[in-house]
C-alpha cells in the first residue's frame, strides 16, 4: 500500500485526480461514464487514460460498443479511493450516480446495485434506500434471498436516521414487506415474517392509501394463511379483494382471488375455493403481474392449487390439466425458482392423491434440487417430506420414513403443511403395521384441524384412523365404522367426492366382511356412479374392483 500510495502521489495532479475519480466509479468503468463524471475534453481524457495504462494502474478490456477499463489490481483502486478526502469523495459519488441515471436512463435496472452504492456513500439516504430496495427486488426475483436481506437491512438502517415523515414510513413499509418475504424463505421462517407484517398492516391502514394497503394485505395475507390463522387470512383477503375491485386493477384482483381461494381451500371449502381459482385463471390469460417480489406468482398458484381442488371435488382427470399447465408455464416463462418449486410441490401433492407414485417422486426430486440450489430452506423441508411419502409408497419404506421424520421438526413449524405431514406418517405407519405410531399421527392431524379450522385433510385422516383400528384389531369394527362414517360426513359437507369415495370404499369393505354385501354394494355404487371421469385412476379402479366382488358375492 505504501509503494502504491507513493506511485500515485508522483502522478501529475490532473492524472491523479482522474485515477481517484475512476476508483469512485468502480473496479470496472466504461468510457462513456468516465466522460459523464469527469468534465474534461476527450483529448485530455485519452491522454491521461493512456498514461495510467502505461503506468500499469489500469488496462483496457474488450467490450462491445464502448471502450471499457479495469483496475489492474483491486488494491490499486483501494489505495486511490482511500486517498480522497471524505467530503470530496461524497461529492464524487453523487456525481457518478447522476451520470449513471442520465447516461443509462433506458436501462437503469442494469445499474441498481451501482446506484445504491453511490447514493449510500454520497449520503443521499432517500435515493440510496430506493435503489437498495430495487436491487433487492431484482435478486429476490432470482430467489437469492440471503443477498437481498443484506441490501434490505442496509436500507432499513438508513431509514432509521431519517426524519419521521409519512414518506419515510411508506418507504419503510415497502422495504419491510420485501424483507418479510425473504425471511419467510430463510431461517426466520413464517413466524418472524408474520410478526413483522402485523406492524406493517397497522401503518398502511393509518395512511388510508388503498394501493399501499393492498400491497401490505396481499403480501401479508399468505403468512397467516400458511401459519393457519385462517380466519384472519380470510378477513385480509376479502378486504384486499374489495380494495382491488374498487381499484379496477386486474393484477390486484387476480392476486387477491388466488390467496382467498388458498384460504378457503385449507378450510375445506373446496367449492368456494375452486370458484376463486377459476376467476383468477380467467384473469391470468390477459394480465401480467406488475411486481416480481411476491411470495408466489398468482397465475401459477391458481392453476397449481386449483388442480387439487378439482381432484377433491371429484374430477381427477380434469385436475391434471391445470397442474400440468402450471408446470409448463413456470418452465417456459422462466418463472422465479420458488414459483417453479411451488408448482412442483403441488404436482407432487396431486400425484400422491392420484397414487401416481413415480411421477410424485420425480417431481419431488426436481423440486428438492432447485430448493437446495437456491437455499430455500423451508421449501426444501416441505418437499423432502412429500418425497419421503412417495418413496415409501414405491416400496422404499425405511428410506421414505427416515426422510419424513428428518424434516418433521421443520415442517411442523408451518401448520398449513403439518396436515400433509401427519397424513403421510399415518399412511406409512399403516403400511408398516405400526398402529400406535399411526394413531399418534392421526391424533395430531385431527387436533390440528379442530384447533385451526384447517379441514382440508380431515376426512382422509378420519378414514386412516378407521383403517388403523382394523389393522390393530380385526374385532374393532365398531370403532372403525364410526371413523368411516365421520369421514363420510366431513367429505359430504365439503362436496369432496374423491374423499367421499375413499371413505365409502373403506366402509363397504368393512360391511362386506360382516356379510352385509347388499348394503355395501348399494352405498358404493351410488358414489361410484356419480363420477363421470377418471375411471382409470387408482381410487375408482379400487372401488370398481370391490363392486365386482360384491356383485359376485
Amino acid at each position: 500500500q505504501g509503494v502504491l500510495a507513493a506511485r500515485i502521489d508522483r502522478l501529475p495532479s490532473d492524472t491523479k485526480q482522474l485515477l481517484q475519480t475512476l476508483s469512485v466509479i468502480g473496479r470496472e468503468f466504461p468510457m462513456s461514464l468516465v466522460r459523464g463524471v469527469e468534465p474534461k475534453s476527450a483529448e485530455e481524457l485519452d491522454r491521461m487514460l493512456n498514461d495510467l495504462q502505461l503506468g500499469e494502474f489500469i488496462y483496457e478490456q474488450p467490450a462491445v460498443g464502448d471502450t471499457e477499463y479495469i483496475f489492474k489490481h483491486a488494491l490499486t483502486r483501494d489505495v486511490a479511493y482511500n486517498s480522497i478526502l471524505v467530503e470530496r469523495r461524497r461529492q464524487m459519488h453523487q456525481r457518478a450516480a447522476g451520470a449513471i441515471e442520465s447516461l443509462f436512463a433506458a436501462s437503469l435496472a442494469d445499474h441498481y446495485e451501482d446506484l445504491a452504492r453511490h447514493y449510500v456513500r454520497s449520503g443521499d439516504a432517500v435515493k440510496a434506500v430506493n435503489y437498495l430496495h430495487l436491487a433487492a427486488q431484482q435478486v429476490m426475483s432470482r430467489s437469492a434471498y440471503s443477498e437481498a436481506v443484506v441490501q434490505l437491512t442496509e436500507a432499513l438502517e438508513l431509514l432509521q436516521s431519517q426524519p419521521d415523515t409519512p414518506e419515510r414510513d411508506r418507504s419503510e413499509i415497502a422495504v419491510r414487506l420485501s424483507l418479510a418475504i425473504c425471511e419467510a424463505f430463510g431461517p426466520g421462517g413464517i413466524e418472524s415474517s408474520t410478526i413483522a407484517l402485523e406492524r406493517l398492516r397497522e401503518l398502511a391502514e393509518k395512511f388510508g392509501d388503498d394501493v399501499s394497503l393492498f400491497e401490505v394485505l396481499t403480501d401479508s395475507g399468505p403468512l397467516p394463511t400458511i401459519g393457519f390463522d385462517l380466519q384472519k387470512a380470510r378477513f385480509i383477503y376479502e378486504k384486499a379483494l374489495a380494495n382491488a375491485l374498487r381499484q379496477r386493477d386486474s393484477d390486484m384482483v387476480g392476486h387477491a382471488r388466488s390467496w382467498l381461494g388458498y384460504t378457503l381451500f385449507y378450510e375445506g371449502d373446496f367449492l368456494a375455493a375452486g370458484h376463486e381459482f377459476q376467476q383468477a385463471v380467467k384473469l391470468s390469460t390477459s394480465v401480467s403481474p406488475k411486481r416480481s417480489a411476491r411470495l408466489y406468482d398468482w397465475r401459477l398458484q391458481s392453476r397449481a392449487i386449483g388442480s387439487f381442488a378439482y381432484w377433491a371435488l371429484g374430477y381427477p382427470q380434469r385436475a391434471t390439466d391445470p397442474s400440468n399447465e402450471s408446470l409448463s408455464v413456470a418452465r417456459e416463462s422462466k418463472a422465479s425458482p420458488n414459483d417453479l418449486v411451488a408448482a412442483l410441490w403441488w404436482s407432487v401433492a396431486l400425484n400422491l392423491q392420484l397414487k401416481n407414485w413415480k411421477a410424485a417422486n420425480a417431481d419431488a426430486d426436481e423440486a428438492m434440487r432447485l430448493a437446495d440450489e437456491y437455499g430455500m430452506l423451508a421449501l426444501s423441508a416441505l418437499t423432502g417430506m412429500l418425497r419421503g411419502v412417495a418413496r415409501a409408497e414405491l416400496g422404499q419404506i425405511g428410506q421414505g420414513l427416515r426422510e419424513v421424520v428428518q424434516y418433521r421438526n421443520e415442517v411442523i413449524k408451518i401448520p398449513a403443511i403439518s396436515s400433509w405431514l401427519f397424513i403421510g406418517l399415518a399412511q406409512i405407519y399403516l403400511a408398516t403395521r405400526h398402529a400406535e405410531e399411526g394413531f399418534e399421527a392421526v391424533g395430531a392431524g385431527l387436533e390440528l384441524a379442530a384447533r385451526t379450522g384447517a379441514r382440508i385433510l380431515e376426512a382422509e385422516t378420519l378414514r386412516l384412523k378407521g383403517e388403523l383400528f382394523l389393522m390393530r384389531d380385526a374385532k374393532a369394527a365398531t370403532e372403525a365404522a364410526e371413523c368411516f362414517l365421520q369421514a363420510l360426513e366431513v367429505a359430504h359437507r365439503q362436496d369432496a367426492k374423491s374423499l367421499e369415495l375413499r371413505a365409502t370404499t373403506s366402509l363397504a369393505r368393512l360391511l362386506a366382511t360382516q356379510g352385509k354385501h347388499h348394503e355395501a354394494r348399494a352405498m358404493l355404487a351410488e358414489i361410484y356412479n356419480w363420477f363421470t371421469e377418471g375411471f382409470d385412476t387408482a381410487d375408482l379402479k379400487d372401488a370398481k374392483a370391490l363392486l365386482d366382488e360384491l356383485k359376485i358375492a
Side-chain angles (χ1 to χ4, degrees):
Q1 288 179 358
V3 170
L4 281 169
R7 289 190 62 215
I8 291 170
D9 282 340
R10 287 197 295 270
L11 290 170
S13 61
D14 56 351
T15 306
K16 175 182 176 181
Q17 180 179 312
L18 175 61
L19 185 64
Q20 291 173 329
T21 299
L22 299 179
S23 73
V24 168
I25 294 174
R27 176 101 196 276
E28 302 178 26
F29 38 90
M31 189 63 188
S32 57
L33 184 54
V34 176
R35 290 195 183 101
V37 176
E38 190 63 44
K40 290 187 177 359
S41 68
E43 292 78 11
E44 287 180 294
L45 283 176
D46 287 342
R47 175 183 56 78
M48 289 187 288
L49 288 169
N50 187 57
D51 289 345
L52 290 172
Q53 285 190 86
L54 290 172
E56 296 189 340
F57 292 100
I58 63 173
Y59 63 87
E60 186 177 338
Q61 61 179 0
V64 178
D66 194 1
T67 304
E68 289 191 3
Y69 296 90
I70 186 171
F71 275 92
K72 188 168 183 179
H73 298 291
L75 187 59
T76 303
R77 183 201 166 200
D78 291 343
V79 172
Y81 185 83
N82 291 329
S83 69
I84 310 170
L85 295 176
V86 173
E87 185 55 37
R88 180 167 169 260
R89 190 188 302 166
R90 286 158 57 99
Q91 294 171 358
M92 292 168 73
H93 276 295
Q94 188 79 21
R95 201 160 69 232
I100 292 172
E101 287 178 321
S102 175
L103 288 167
F104 305 112
S107 57
L108 214 54
D110 296 335
H111 303 276
Y112 286 158
E113 288 191 18
D114 285 336
L115 285 165
R117 175 174 59 84
H118 286 307
Y119 279 122
V120 165
R121 296 184 180 186
S122 75
D124 189 334
V126 174
K127 284 200 168 186
V129 168
N130 178 51
Y131 283 117
L132 282 167
H133 190 205
L134 289 170
Q137 288 187 309
Q138 267 188 340
V139 297
M140 287 170 69
S141 70
R142 303 194 301 269
S143 299
Y145 296 107
S146 58
E147 184 180 341
V149 166
V150 174
Q151 295 164 325
L152 294 168
T153 302
E154 185 174 7
L156 283 178
E157 289 172 355
L158 287 171
L159 283 168
Q160 301 312 310
S161 64
Q162 299 305 297
D164 189 7
T165 64
E167 289 71 24
R168 193 213 72 88
D169 287 345
R170 283 193 175 89
S171 294
E172 182 178 352
I173 285 175
V175 172
R176 286 194 182 277
L177 271 173
S178 295
L179 186 58
I181 292 171
C182 292
E183 288 176 344
F185 288 105
I190 299 297
E191 185 177 355
S192 65
S193 294
T194 304
I195 292 170
L197 285 161
E198 285 298 319
R199 172 60 181 155
L200 291 179
R201 194 153 52 242
E202 291 174 13
L203 282 172
E205 288 174 345
K206 180 182 78 173
F207 289 136
D209 178 344
D210 278 352
V211 176
S212 294
L213 178 59
F214 178 84
E215 296 291 338
V216 176
L217 289 173
T218 53
D219 280 329
S220 63
L223 302 177
T225 303
I226 295 168
F228 262 6
D229 189 340
L230 294 175
Q231 187 175 5
K232 178 187 289 185
R234 182 156 32 86
F235 169 77
I236 287 172
Y237 273 107
E238 286 170 348
K239 190 171 182 178
L241 180 57
N243 185 315
L245 289 169
R246 283 197 306 273
Q247 296 291 314
R248 298 184 179 181
D249 186 309
S250 296
D251 177 62
M252 288 182 174
V253 172
H255 190 72
R257 284 197 184 281
S258 176
W259 279 104
L260 178 57
Y262 185 103
T263 305
L264 293 165
F265 172 77
Y266 265 103
E267 288 183 310
D269 193 344
F270 297 114
L271 207 56
H275 171 75
E276 297 299 338
F277 289 136
Q278 279 185 328
Q279 294 301 310
V281 169
K282 285 180 183 178
L283 283 172
S284 71
T285 58
S286 59
V287 174
S288 297
K290 296 177 181 177
R291 301 172 60 246
S292 60
R294 285 178 174 151
L295 269 175
Y296 300 112
D297 182 336
W298 60 267
R299 300 172 303 168
L300 298 177
Q301 175 172 277
S302 298
R303 289 173 170 83
I305 309 177
S307 67
F308 197 99
Y310 275 127
W311 173 82
L313 289 167
Y315 302 101
Q317 190 63 44
R318 201 180 310 178
T320 59
D321 291 337
S323 177
N324 292 336
E325 190 176 343
S326 71
L327 288 173
S328 297
V329 171
R331 291 190 175 106
E332 292 169 8
S333 65
K334 296 182 180 179
S336 66
N338 54 285
D339 279 323
L340 178 53
V341 172
L344 285 164
W345 194 93
W346 282 105
S347 178
V348 175
L350 177 63
N351 278 308
L352 287 178
Q353 298 309 311
L354 292 170
K355 300 181 181 177
N356 296 332
W357 314 125
K358 289 184 179 179
N361 188 59
D363 283 346
D365 278 342
E366 183 181 357
M368 282 288 286
R369 179 182 58 77
L370 286 168
D372 290 342
E373 179 182 347
Y374 288 94
M376 294 181 274
L377 304 181
L379 287 177
S380 180
L382 304 183
T383 306
M385 177 265 298
L386 285 192
R387 185 172 68 177
V389 176
R391 286 179 170 176
E393 294 289 358
L394 285 168
Q396 304 169 32
I397 294 177
Q399 182 180 356
L401 179 58
R402 282 193 297 275
E403 191 159 19
V404 175
V405 171
Q406 174 187 348
Y407 295 110
R408 176 179 180 137
N409 290 338
E410 288 301 317
V411 172
I412 212 162
K413 294 176 183 177
I414 308 175
I417 311 300
S418 297
S419 303
W420 306 90
L421 169 69
F422 298 133
I423 282 285
L425 284 170
Q427 287 176 234
I428 296 173
Y429 288 133
L430 181 64
T432 56
R433 304 188 68 80
H434 286 79
E436 296 311 313
E437 291 88 343
F439 278 115
E440 181 184 342
V442 295
L446 292 172
E447 187 277 330
L448 180 73
R451 173 167 51 86
T452 64
R455 308 287 183 183
I456 175 179
L457 297 173
E458 185 179 17
E460 180 65 356
T461 306
L462 286 164
R463 187 190 73 82
L464 287 171
K465 185 176 181 181
E467 295 288 0
L468 284 163
F469 271 120
L470 291 176
M471 186 266 289
R472 186 176 67 177
D473 183 358
K475 297 179 181 179
T478 302
E479 294 88 342
E482 179 62 26
C483 289
F484 296 147
L485 287 169
Q486 288 176 359
L488 276 171
E489 180 186 352
V490 172
H492 184 72
R493 187 171 66 246
Q494 295 176 342
D495 293 304
K497 294 296 183 180
S498 290
L499 296 171
E500 189 176 341
L501 176 68
R502 283 189 183 175
T504 305
T505 302
S506 290
L507 181 56
R509 189 172 285 114
L510 172 60
L511 291 174
T513 64
Q514 299 171 335
K516 301 175 183 178
H517 299 95
H518 179 73
E519 182 182 350
R521 191 173 196 284
M523 68 165 57
L524 186 55
E526 181 180 358
I527 182 63
Y528 182 84
N529 291 333
W530 179 92
F531 283 82
T532 58
E533 61 171 70
F535 294 105
D536 60 342
T537 56
D539 286 338
L540 281 160
K541 286 165 73 173
D542 288 346
K544 181 63 167 62
L546 182 55
L547 278 171
D548 291 342
E549 288 178 25
L550 292 170
K551 184 177 181 180
I552 295 170

